[in-house]
Amino acid sequence: EPVVTIGAELTDKALLEKVASTTEGEITFVLYGPFPSEEAISCRPGYAYGRGTVKTVGSGTYISPPVKVTESGLYTWVATWTGSDKAVATHDCGEATETVIVNPTISTEALFPEIEVGAATADHVTLGGRKKTSFTGDITVEMFGPFDRQGLATCAGNPTWAYISDIRGDDDFSTSVAPTQYGWYTFQATFRGDEGTYVQDECGAAEEWVKVLPTLTSQVSTAKLTVGEEVKDTVNVRGVPAGHPGTITWKLFGPFNSAEQMNCSGQAVA
């Protein structure tokens, strides 16, 4: 079965044989669909999606006018020839060589592209072209990472996180996850329709990146001391894997006459 994406123009090709070279006629091409399964395919008039006719003279190969498809699903062609002598030739409905899979479109966006470790980000997925709620399938959203920088994504192997959900028609879909390590991550969404349609967004697409920042909290050893005494600052860094190198820089600012005067824009004293 040929596979295309919505927005494509479909054509059919008919081979007409054993017709006298002077016999004129006409081929009517009818495209039926979209259907949610092969079992649902029907060539009754109510399922006609588009049609076109071509004049014929004798035997030969004839191509239908194009029909643009704007909904995903299964489609099938039926070609019927009628000769000037009232002879008729056609073929069965739903033949494999006449059936086309039309995939939907998919658009995705990471809703919170910069977060701290432990905070949630979300991926929003929109399918285009699945207008009938009788069309079912599932969406898989995967997160890959962390990567050292944006643009280094690979979406092979096991994802960091994954979620699968059933979906009907062209409903939007969102799901959230809270990464536990800092770095760059990318989402990838895949749709599989029960009728055989399939679409996946690009690995590492610009709108699918999420930057996850580590968190840093600190606590002084004492809030009140006399001149000459030592004070220490204890720092807790969250989201950095064990063994990952890094540097912490401490600066001490002051003295200030009051808490309202405190700022860290001037020269540090230590």
Side-chain angles (χ1 to χ4, degrees), residues 10-12 29 51-54 63-67 77:
L10 303 183
T11 58
D12 192 25
F29 295 91
R51 66 176 61 237
T53 58
V54 174
I63 298 176
S64 72
V67 176
W77 286 97

Side-chain angles (χ1 to χ4, degrees), residues 116-173:
E116 292 184 342
V117 166
T121 184
D123 196 33
H124 183 76
V125 183
T126 302
L127 288 176
R130 292 181 66 82
K131 299 178 182 179
K132 295 180 173 62
T133 57
S134 59
F135 285 66
T136 56
D138 63 69
I139 287 180
T140 301
V141 178
E142 297 173 307
M143 172 178 271
F144 294 88
F147 303 102
D148 289 339
R149 64 177 185 271
Q150 187 176 12
L152 292 181
T154 59
C155 298
N158 294 326
T160 305
W161 170 89
Y163 184 82
I164 301 176
S165 177
D166 295 334
I167 191 169
R168 284 185 172 273
D170 60 356
D171 290 343
D172 288 3
F173 175 79

Side-chain angles (χ1 to χ4, degrees), residues 101-124:
I101 296 174
V102 179
N103 286 328
T105 59
I106 190 169
S107 60
T108 55
E109 181 185 13
L111 298 182
F112 307 103
E114 185 170 314
I115 58 172
E116 292 184 342
V117 166
T121 184
D123 196 33
H124 183 76

Side-chain angles (χ1 to χ4, degrees), residues 21 23 37 43 45 55 107 129 134 149 169 218-219:
S21 60
T23 300
S37 66
C43 297
K55 299 294 184 180
S107 60
S134 59
R149 64 177 185 271
S218 61
Q219 177 68 50

Side-chain angles (χ1 to χ4, degrees), residues 99-263:
T99 301
V100 182
I101 296 174
V102 179
N103 286 328
T105 59
I106 190 169
S107 60
T108 55
E109 181 185 13
L111 298 182
F112 307 103
E114 185 170 314
I115 58 172
E116 292 184 342
V117 166
T121 184
D123 196 33
H124 183 76
V125 183
T126 302
L127 288 176
R130 292 181 66 82
K131 299 178 182 179
K132 295 180 173 62
T133 57
S134 59
F135 285 66
T136 56
D138 63 69
I139 287 180
T140 301
V141 178
E142 297 173 307
M143 172 178 271
F144 294 88
F147 303 102
D148 289 339
R149 64 177 185 271
Q150 187 176 12
L152 292 181
T154 59
C155 298
N158 294 326
T160 305
W161 170 89
Y163 184 82
I164 301 176
S165 177
D166 295 334
I167 191 169
R168 284 185 172 273
D170 60 356
D171 290 343
D172 288 3
F173 175 79
S174 295
T175 186
S176 63
V177 57
T180 58
Q181 291 187 10
Y182 89 102
W184 287 91
Y185 294 79
T186 188
F187 285 110
Q188 186 175 45
T190 305
F191 169 77
R192 295 174 176 85
D194 292 339
E195 76 280 16
T197 52
Y198 175 91
V199 64
Q200 184 180 67
D201 70 338
E202 178 188 0
C203 176
E207 62 277 4
E208 286 282 65
W209 280 98
V210 177
K211 184 180 182 180
V212 180
L213 304 173
T215 60
L216 186 149
T217 58
S218 61
Q219 177 68 50
V220 294
S221 56
T222 180
K224 183 180 292 186
L225 67 161
T226 59
V227 172
E229 290 184 306
E230 290 187 348
V231 62
K232 295 181 180 179
D233 192 32
T234 301
V235 172
N236 178 36
V237 179
R238 183 183 174 204
V240 179
H244 196 90
T247 303
I248 297 176
T249 301
W250 279 270
K251 292 182 180 181
L252 180 64
F253 294 87
F256 303 103
N257 293 325
S258 66
E260 290 74 16
Q261 293 181 348
M262 289 182 181
N263 71 82

